[in-house]
Amino acid sequence: MKLLQTFALTATVAAAAAFGASAPARAEGKTITLCWAAWDPANALVELSKDFTAKTGVNMKFEFVPWPNFADRMLNELNSKGKLCDLMIGDSQWIGGAAENGQYVKLNEFFDKEGIKISDFMPATVAGYAEWPKGSPNYWALPAMGDANGWTYRKDWFSRPEIREEFKKKFGRELEVPKTQEELKDIAEFFQKRVIDGKTVYGAAIFTERGSEGITMGVTNALYPFGFKYQNPKKPYDMQGFVNSDDAVKGLEFYKALYKCCTPPGYSNGYMQEGLDAFKSGQVALQMNWFAFFPGLYKDPNVGGDRIGFFVNPAQKEKGSQLGGQGISVVAYSPNRPEALAYIKWFASLDTQKKWWALGGYSCHKGVLNDPNFKNTAPFAADFLVAMDQVVDFWAEPSYAQLLLAMQKRVHDYVVADQGTAKGALDGLIVDWTKVFKEDGKL
């Protein structure tokens, strides 16, 4: 996920100079701090990092911030040249600003020196979490936490004979995991206000949140499959006819229809936690959310185990899932750079990556993901592979905050607040984004 902070990145002196020597095999008494969001994968990382301390003697401290405050807290730390964080697992969209403003250490020289091959990691995660400018071999992070948007569903409800019979009678097909966006909507409508076990349930929990990034991270899962593009693939920042194409308009109209027909009452500002709450409480048949939460959901005593199923964001005209996840970077202002780099080296190893996945983190290492048995290691593992092969990311420009603010407003106004048309919202978004890129000298 990529939480928004309304900040203005100020120019700073590039600070990606000498790396210094690698940390010694034992560095007793040294302590470094890793900063990330507060969620289940962070707890897994604490457990994993005990191996690093045992191997090197470097102690670990952790600064974990709840998601709603994560971007504000960490970007303020970077912009103020703070020394709290030696390592930061920051959102993919921070890469551009952090690289251009000297806030992250460029890692190319270190990778070469230590024999770390960025090609050992999935291409989508390298592009999304590590490189800037996009498409260039300049790396400011190591892929750390692969993630994408996916779906959970009430497998136990889908399997009930009376429900299956009624669905087949109505739609002429079996009640199964949807293969298209339209099939997903059919299922959501079918369950909307249905009474199951004496309780009224609803179709789907989707992202509608206005304040940070929620509705953008949700609506893109409809826009991408319908054909939305951020720009002309042959001409950067050329958005006319791509952002507002006929197919993109259909995608935005579809998301609004899904919101209007099939969400729980009052679900006008929902994001990650609201979706988890709705699903765990037995309120919805379908839930849009990040794969990072799926291990915890599978273990849930009320809706986990045999009751839950998982599927990749369905296609329509094309395939597409919103990219989540993060890379791990060395903060340029860290006074403990050798030890922080030693952590990167340790984390990059295949043995560490295998344990990272086993503990509940989402490895991006090909040695883990391409293992023939990987698909059998978790009930959502196969879907994760498919999702990561079709991910698309939001802008990772240094001005991404302004770009995201514009999309949040335009999309929320149309989908939730019933203002204007889908075409008008996307036309307006091009105007907003064009202004930002002109101010940045990109147009």
Side-chain angles (χ1 to χ4, degrees):
M1 39 265 40
K2 295 144 179 63
L3 294 183
L4 169 67
Q5 195 253 11
T6 56
F7 69 104
L9 286 172
T10 55
T12 59
V13 178
F19 292 106
S22 297
R26 302 291 299 177
E28 305 291 351
K30 277 282 191 176
T31 299
I32 59 175
T33 299
L34 187 153
C35 298
W36 198 13
W39 59 332
D40 286 350
N43 299 330
L45 190 64
V46 172
E47 184 65 26
L48 180 71
S49 297
K50 292 176 182 177
D51 291 352
F52 173 74
T53 297
K55 181 177 180 180
T56 65
V58 178
N59 296 310
M60 296 295 299
K61 287 177 62 179
F62 300 91
E63 183 75 14
F64 296 149
V65 180
W67 275 113
N69 311 110
F70 174 57
D72 280 348
R73 176 71 182 86
M74 291 300 116
L75 291 170
N76 283 337
E77 182 69 22
L78 291 176
N79 291 337
S80 65
K81 302 183 182 180
K83 293 185 169 127
L84 169 66
C85 308
D86 300 295
L87 294 158
M88 185 175 291
I89 301 184
D91 263 331
S92 61
Q93 292 164 344
W94 305 358
I95 288 286
E100 294 192 6
N101 291 284
Q103 295 165 336
Y104 287 168
V105 172
K106 188 177 181 181
L107 296 174
N108 290 59
E109 183 181 328
F110 176 72
F111 286 167
D112 291 343
K113 178 182 176 183
E114 298 296 342
I116 298 170
K117 296 180 180 178
I118 199 71
S119 60
D120 285 342
F121 294 81
M122 286 185 69
T125 68
V126 174
Y129 309 150
E131 67 184 30
W132 185 263
K134 294 301 179 185
S136 74
N138 297 286
Y139 307 113
W140 307 87
L142 185 83
M145 177 71 188
D147 204 4
N149 235 312
W151 292 81
T152 65
Y153 71 99
R154 287 299 299 266
K155 192 175 182 180
D156 54 340
W157 295 355
F158 277 44
S159 67
R160 295 191 181 189
E162 70 277 11
I163 289 179
R164 296 184 65 82
E165 182 179 351
E166 184 180 344
F167 183 88
K168 187 172 184 179
K169 184 177 180 180
K170 182 174 182 179
F171 292 101
R173 65 176 188 272
E174 298 293 340
L175 176 55
E176 304 292 351
V177 166
K179 295 182 176 64
T180 67
Q181 293 282 315
E182 290 172 348
E183 286 184 5
L184 183 148
K185 183 171 177 285
D186 287 343
I187 294 170
E189 285 185 296
F190 177 76
F191 279 101
Q192 183 74 358
K193 296 184 179 180
R194 179 169 295 274
V195 176
I196 296 179
D197 296 333
K199 178 180 178 180
T200 300
V201 303
Y202 301 91
I206 63 175
F207 297 162
T208 58
E209 181 262 0
R210 168 71 177 84
S212 62
E213 62 162 15
I215 197 165
T216 297
M217 296 295 104
V219 73
T220 47
N221 290 285
L223 291 176
Y224 301 152
F226 274 86
F228 169 96
K229 298 287 189 296
Y230 286 102
Q231 58 188 337
N232 183 343
K234 299 180 180 178
K235 186 179 179 183
Y237 310 110
D238 175 20
M239 296 170 283
Q240 193 68 38
F242 295 89
V243 169
N244 62 347
S245 67
D246 290 345
D247 288 330
V249 170
K250 291 176 184 176
L252 185 53
E253 290 173 341
F254 174 87
Y255 198 78
K256 179 172 182 173
L258 182 63
Y259 165 68
K260 293 294 185 182
C261 79
C262 308
T263 53
Y267 204 79
S268 60
N269 196 40
Y271 194 21
M272 296 177 281
Q273 191 58 52
E274 289 76 13
L276 293 171
D277 291 345
F279 194 81
K280 288 181 179 181
S281 65
Q283 195 177 15
V284 292
L286 305 170
Q287 179 210 190
M288 166 191 286
N289 223 316
W290 303 101
F291 272 84
F293 293 111
F294 292 1
L297 284 169
Y298 185 69
K299 296 175 183 176
D300 187 89
N302 298 316
V303 299
D306 293 339
R307 301 179 186 89
I308 191 172
F310 308 91
F311 62 92
V312 177
N313 190 50
Q316 191 63 33
K317 179 181 178 181
E318 302 175 6
K319 297 177 181 179
S321 299
Q322 176 58 50
L323 179 71
Q326 300 87 30
I328 183 169
S329 299
V330 176
V331 177
Y333 316 119
S334 165
N336 303 304
R337 188 177 294 190
E339 290 76 25
L341 288 166
Y343 188 95
I344 297 284
K345 180 181 178 181
W346 165 82
F347 188 77
S349 72
L350 180 55
D351 286 345
T352 300
Q353 288 294 307
K354 286 179 177 178
K355 189 169 183 180
W356 176 222
W357 169 252
L359 288 171
Y362 278 79
S363 174
C364 304
H365 199 290
K366 291 178 182 177
V368 176
L369 302 176
N370 291 341
D371 186 298
N373 192 51
F374 178 80
K375 294 179 180 180
N376 302 318
T377 58
F380 39 80
D383 289 323
F384 175 65
L385 285 180
V386 174
M388 292 304 294
D389 195 44
Q390 64 179 45
V391 287
V392 184
D393 199 11
F394 188 76
W395 297 105
E397 296 283 330
S399 295
Y400 94 90
Q402 295 95 307
L403 300 169
L404 186 52
L405 273 173
M407 188 160 184
Q408 282 288 107
K409 182 179 188 312
R410 294 287 184 180
V411 172
H412 196 275
D413 283 353
Y414 169 68
V415 171
V416 177
D418 267 334
Q419 296 178 16
T421 66
K423 181 68 161 56
L426 295 174
D427 288 345
L429 190 55
I430 291 177
V431 173
D432 298 337
W433 285 354
T434 297
K435 180 181 179 182
V436 173
F437 289 133
K438 282 185 176 178
E439 291 173 351
D440 288 348
K442 303 288 178 69
L443 288 172

